[in-house]
Structures are given as C-alpha cells and as structure tokens.
Amino acid sequence: MIFNKLIRLLLNYVSFITTTLIPVRKNLILFTGTSLSTYNESTRYLYEYLLKNKKVSIVWVTNSKVVYSHLTNMGRPVVLHRSLNGLWHYIRSGIVVFTGTSYPNLFKFVGKSTIKICLYHGMGPRSTNSVYGTTTSSPIDVLKKYHKFDYFNFTSKYTNTIVGRLQFLLPENKRVIFGLPRCDHLFSEDKVEESRINKNQLRELNYLIDESTKCILYSPTWRSDVNSISFPLSEISDFNVYNFDQWLKENNMLFLISVHPHMENLEDFSDCANIQYISYNPLVDINQLLPEMDLLITDYSSIATDYMLMDRPIIYVMPDYDDYLYSFGLLEDMRSNLPGLESKNMSDLKNDIVRSLKDPHKMQSERKGYLKKYYDIDNPNSCEKISIFIESLIS
C-alpha cells in the first residue's frame, strides 16, 4: 500500500515536471469515446468531421485492439492509450475532447496547458447532479471533476442555465452551447426518412426484416444497481414476454433492445424471435441506428431528446417513476407534460404501439415543446460550430 502511494507520488512529480517543461502543440487534438474501448458518441462524429480540416492534427485514443485496427485500416490517425506513442501524444496535446465525467489521461501526463472540452453525453430531465452510490459516492466528487474542464458543452439556453449553472455550478466562461455532433445527421429530413424505409444498417447487422417490418427500439436509462433488471418493461402490469413476442411476430414488428455496456443481469430472450438485444460492438454508435427506427420506447434516457429531433413518436414506460422523481431527482415532473404516450400495462403498450405507428405525427406539438427546453433545433450544425470554436482556441 505504502509502496503504491510512493509510486503514484513519483509519477505525479515526473508528470508535473514533464508537462511543465515540454510545450504542447496547440493544434494537436485527442479524442476518445464513451470509454477508451469504444468508437462512438459525439466525439466520433466530430473526429470524422475534422479529418478534412488541415488546420488541426487529430488523433483518436483507444485501448481497444478492435478500434485501433479498424481506424488504422481506414488510414485514420489513432494511438493506443497505454503506449509510448500514446504517452507522447498526451504530453503534447493542445486539446482533449471527450464526453464522460473524466477526460482521458495516462499517469496524469495531460498537463494544465492542455485545453479540456467536454461535449457531454446527452441532455434530458435526468441531467441532474445526482449520482448513483455504486459508481460515485457524492455529487460533490462529480462537480469537482466537471470544474476541471475548460469548456462544457450544452444543447440549449435552458440546459445551459438549469443544468450548467444551477446543477453543475459551472461559471459562465466555461459554458458553451453547440449542440451534439452525434445529432447533426438527424436534422436531414430526407436522409433520415430514406434510412427509416431502407434500414440498410440493420440489414448489415443481419436482422431479418422486410420492407414492411416496423422496427422498435427499446432503450431504458442505465440503472447502476447490480440488482437492477435490464428490461424494466417487464415490470408493467400483465406483461408476458412470450405473448408480447408472438404479438410482435403477428404484426411484423422487430423489438430491439439497447442497453448500457456495463449493465448486468441481462434477460434471456433466446426463445423469442422478435425480441432481441442489439449486440455490443465497439464500432457501432446507437445514433447511427436511430434513423432506421420507426418508434422509440424509453423512460428518463437522453436518447429521447435525440430521437425527437426526427419528429418521431415515443412511448414512455416508467415503472419506477416515483423513485426517480423523488429519490434520484429529475429536473421536472415529466408526467405533467409528456411528449409521448405512457404505457402502464400490457394492453396499453400494444395499443400505444399501434396508435404511434399509425399516426406518427400525433403529439407533434408536445415534442416541439420538449425540444424548446432540451435541444435548440435552430442550432443544427454542431460539428461546424465546434470546429470554428476550436480554430479560435488554437489561432
């Protein structure tokens, strides 16, 4: 224990001296996904957008051999996290762009001169300073990490104020409103409609669908409790997974489930033909698949905000609503003005699915009202805006 502490102290001293003496390259920008093992999230879309920008030198950092090989084969700049090359890039980086609670680092060799930009992982009613005790013990710990960032990105004036100022206590000079790069493609009405009809990516992932198949995405928010179920839908009244699967089959609907990669206790749907998990793949980002979905079923997840940008229907299933509202804490009482139907039992769920698919424009005004708070639809070109901002930082 004492030996480990001494090693950490020595590394901290070496990293401090090194990052103080070696100047950064202002135009060297490092990117990473939700974790070092994934190629996803808003950082991926911004990274790919900046590939053609000659004013910057961009590099993706990963600890995944799959991601490393994929980007190398495509001729895209990438380094391994735990390598001498990776360490050198950390020392020299002028900017680090990330989405999570902490920016990527190696033995603290990202120095104070490096600008840290957090794009964040999404905005919605659950975007509070509340934390799960199993992952982080205190909101104060999270806020301390957030305050180490130089710039924190938001999606609207409402989230900038209510989340950034009042929840995260960030000063004005650290808050920027650029929207999410992962959402830029969702603003193209023609392209997302073409994707919904063709469903080419789902076909490439070997899902058996025809031109009349309706694809439903079920994406509940992450519940970090080890005893949590990955399929909260089963908690509604009269739910029977086999009856539901048969009903989906009879109506030519494919029910796809997206879960957090850290979620445990996955349900067994091996006997179901039309209920399937989306297999984990470090190279697949869920926002790539959103345009191909006809309907979203969720609860408190920020994926609802992204999906509504395409003006498509949403169904809410929230069996633990009171616990989330009063124990975890939401920004508002969602039920007072839901931008979608809420299903509380099996009969409601089936009826709501049919109604939503038959009339996808129903509740359009409620969706617009929701987006006025959580995503400024007049701010669609996130990648372009962030690119211009980065250029201003390095010039």
Side-chain angles (χ1 to χ4, degrees):
M1 182 70 73
I2 295 177
F3 178 75
N4 290 338
K5 287 184 177 179
L6 289 174
I7 292 296
R8 282 197 295 270
L9 285 173
L10 178 61
L11 281 173
N12 289 344
Y13 176 76
V14 172
S15 64
F16 174 77
I17 295 298
T18 303
T19 55
T20 301
L21 295 178
I22 299 178
V24 301
R25 282 179 54 197
K26 288 187 177 182
N27 71 333
L28 175 59
I29 309 172
L30 305 187
F31 295 83
T32 189
T34 303
S35 69
L36 284 163
S37 62
T38 56
Y39 181 55
N40 67 347
E41 262 293 346
S42 284
T43 41
R44 168 179 177 163
Y45 295 87
L46 181 60
Y47 166 81
E48 293 178 356
Y49 179 87
L50 289 173
L51 283 171
K52 297 179 181 179
N53 191 327
K54 302 300 182 182
K55 297 180 180 179
V56 296
S57 177
I58 62 172
V59 179
W60 189 271
V61 182
T62 183
N63 62 11
S64 166
K65 292 182 180 179
V66 173
V67 175
Y68 182 82
S69 296
H70 171 74
L71 293 177
T72 299
N73 291 337
M74 295 187 72
R76 294 176 177 176
V78 57
V79 296
L80 286 171
H81 169 63
R82 289 185 177 275
S83 66
L84 288 176
N85 194 22
L87 181 64
W88 181 244
H89 276 78
Y90 279 126
I91 294 172
R92 295 281 277 149
S93 60
I95 299 175
V96 175
V97 184
F98 55 100
T99 64
T101 305
S102 302
Y103 55 88
N105 206 339
L106 183 61
F107 305 129
K108 296 187 177 181
F109 276 92
V110 174
K112 291 183 178 180
S113 299
T114 301
I115 298 172
K116 294 89 176 175
I117 301 176
C118 181
L119 300 182
Y120 205 53
H121 50 69
M123 288 291 169
R126 189 173 169 272
S127 301
T128 69
N129 59 20
S130 297
V131 295
Y132 285 115
T134 54
T135 53
T136 306
S137 59
S138 166
I140 301 300
D141 295 335
V142 175
L143 295 184
K144 285 180 179 179
K145 292 180 179 179
Y146 286 169
H147 280 252
K148 291 181 180 179
F149 307 159
D150 294 288
Y151 299 101
F152 201 106
N153 179 47
F154 294 91
T155 53
S156 65
K157 290 182 179 179
Y158 178 85
T159 57
N160 177 54
T161 301
I162 302 301
V163 180
R165 181 182 179 185
L166 301 182
Q167 290 287 316
F168 298 164
L169 307 179
L170 292 168
E172 185 177 0
N173 66 320
K174 287 194 173 188
R175 290 181 270 123
V176 292
I177 306 173
F178 294 130
L180 301 175
R182 73 183 190 201
C183 292
D184 277 358
H185 66 294
L186 303 179
F187 285 89
S188 177
E189 295 183 18
D190 293 338
K191 289 184 178 180
V192 296
E193 180 60 15
E194 181 182 349
S195 296
R196 187 191 67 80
I197 294 172
N198 296 331
K199 304 187 190 308
N200 290 330
Q201 292 186 86
L202 291 175
R203 296 178 195 277
E204 289 178 5
L205 294 173
N206 298 318
Y207 290 108
L208 298 178
I209 53 179
D210 58 45
E211 57 187 23
S212 64
T213 304
K214 298 296 184 182
C215 293
I216 302 169
L217 175 64
Y218 178 47
S219 184
T221 196
W222 179 48
R223 292 158 171 82
S224 67
D225 188 341
V226 293
N227 296 317
S228 292
I229 56 174
S230 63
F231 197 60
L233 184 64
S234 63
E235 297 295 294
I236 66 174
S237 303
D238 305 320
F239 183 82
N240 182 293
V241 67
Y242 299 109
N243 290 343
F244 185 48
D245 182 59
Q246 183 60 34
W247 181 83
L248 291 166
K249 186 176 182 181
E250 292 170 357
N251 289 275
N252 195 18
M253 299 176 185
L254 180 62
F255 193 89
L256 297 173
I257 308 167
S258 171
V259 295
H260 195 280
H262 294 156
M263 179 63 78
E264 300 178 0
N265 303 328
L266 299 183
E267 302 283 333
D268 183 7
F269 296 120
S270 58
D271 294 330
C272 296
N274 287 54
I275 300 177
Q276 301 179 36
Y277 282 111
I278 296 177
S279 299
Y280 171 74
N281 186 330
L283 301 178
V284 174
D285 180 79
I286 191 62
N287 274 48
Q288 293 175 281
L289 302 179
L290 286 188
E292 301 190 4
M293 301 298 171
D294 296 278
L295 173 66
L296 172 69
I297 300 178
T298 187
D299 43 34
Y300 325 101
S301 174
S302 62
I303 197 172
T305 306
D306 296 13
Y307 193 77
M308 269 185 266
L309 292 172
M310 298 185 292
D311 193 24
R312 294 184 187 174
I314 294 179
I315 293 175
Y316 287 87
V317 175
M318 305 180 289
D320 51 359
Y321 182 79
D322 287 343
D323 182 58
Y324 258 84
L325 180 61
Y326 298 114
S327 297
F328 180 85
L330 299 173
L331 293 179
E332 60 177 319
D333 186 344
M334 294 170 58
R335 275 185 175 149
S336 63
N337 194 24
L338 271 184
L341 302 173
E342 182 182 4
S343 303
K344 297 182 179 180
N345 56 57
M346 191 65 197
S347 178
D348 282 351
L349 178 62
K350 292 178 180 178
N351 290 332
D352 290 344
I353 289 175
V354 172
R355 290 169 59 193
S356 297
L357 292 175
K358 185 177 181 180
D359 185 9
H361 296 295
K362 186 178 178 63
M363 304 194 77
Q364 188 178 58
S365 61
E366 287 84 353
R367 291 195 289 269
K368 288 182 178 180
Y370 174 95
L371 289 173
K372 282 184 178 179
K373 289 183 179 179
Y374 295 106
Y375 205 110
D376 183 358
I377 59 174
D378 294 323
N379 192 21
N381 301 313
S382 178
C383 284
E384 180 183 358
K385 290 180 172 63
I386 297 174
S387 175
I388 293 172
F389 177 68
I390 286 176
E391 288 181 23
S392 72
L393 294 177
I394 65 179
S395 64

